[in-house]
Amino acid sequence: FGGALIFFAVYLLMLFVVSADLLFPIAACLAGVAAAVLAYPSSGHIKERVMAWQNPFSCIEKEGYQIAQSLFAIGNGDWFGTGLYDGMPKTIPVVKSDFVFAAIAEELGVIFAALILCVYINCIIWMLRMALDRREPFYFAVSTGAAALFGVQVFLNIGGVIKLIPSTGVTLSFISYG
């Protein structure tokens, strides 16, 4: 579902950039919300992710284990981290792909993790700046789509790791092996 969410968000952003009309993205957003509401009761996987997001500590034995361990790792890292190989990031399931940001925050600290986030934001700004320099509409749209794809993927991963949004299983660009 994470990949579908990425493509849908990029589609909405591209639709807005190309058409410059808010009607299409708003209608598509409403349709997406309706689809999510309809998909929620029929998918056990989505129910588990939402339940783990709402209160991971109430279901820490099963559904909330991954996000709870992620939050423990980030909290354990404090500002400057525990040091390389001094933390316990292997207690987080799927740490090498989905939750690598929590491992970085634990071993290198929250300050380093925030600096990585600043690098990602700088890359997105740089990509959008390149898109604005394109003269042809096609290349402008492609550049904007690449920036949107990158930004949405970073948001979904880091947002899921820090419990801002439900975890989507999306990897972190240029850091995860995915």
Side-chain angles (χ1 to χ4, degrees):
F1 293 110
L5 186 58
I6 288 174
F7 287 124
F8 184 67
V10 171
Y11 168 74
L12 288 178
L13 290 169
M14 293 296 299
L15 189 61
F16 175 69
V17 166
V18 171
S19 70
D21 185 15
L22 278 176
L23 180 65
F24 295 125
I26 289 174
C29 226
L30 292 174
V33 168
V37 168
L38 291 174
Y40 178 77
S42 64
S43 174
H45 182 68
I46 293 176
K47 281 183 184 179
E48 289 176 3
R49 294 286 176 122
V50 170
M51 184 172 42
W53 169 65
Q54 288 174 338
N55 189 1
F57 303 108
S58 68
C59 55
I60 196 168
E61 299 86 21
K62 195 174 178 189
E63 296 92 359
Y65 184 74
Q66 186 178 32
I67 189 69
Q69 289 299 98
S70 169
L71 295 174
F72 288 146
I74 293 170
N76 186 40
D78 208 21
W79 291 106
F80 300 105
T82 59
L84 283 176
Y85 301 106
D86 287 339
M88 296 189 323
K90 292 188 180 183
T91 60
I92 306 169
V94 201
V95 71
K96 290 183 179 179
S97 59
D98 294 359
F99 281 75
V100 71
F101 190 76
I104 290 169
E106 179 181 15
E107 292 193 345
L108 300 174
V110 175
I111 292 175
F112 190 84
L115 290 174
I116 288 177
L117 187 60
C118 289
V119 168
Y120 278 127
I121 291 169
N122 191 27
C123 287
I124 294 166
I125 291 170
W126 178 68
M127 293 167 87
L128 289 173
R129 174 75 184 205
M130 278 187 7
L132 290 173
D133 290 342
R134 302 299 115 207
R135 301 280 182 237
E136 298 84 13
F138 174 76
Y139 296 117
F140 170 74
V142 168
S143 302
T144 305
L149 180 69
F150 183 73
V152 168
Q153 185 171 355
V154 167
F155 173 75
L156 289 179
N157 181 276
I158 294 177
V161 168
I162 64 172
K163 200 179 159 301
L164 180 66
I165 58 172
S167 177
T168 57
V170 173
T171 58
L172 190 59
S173 300
F174 303 122
I175 294 180
S176 297
Y177 66 77

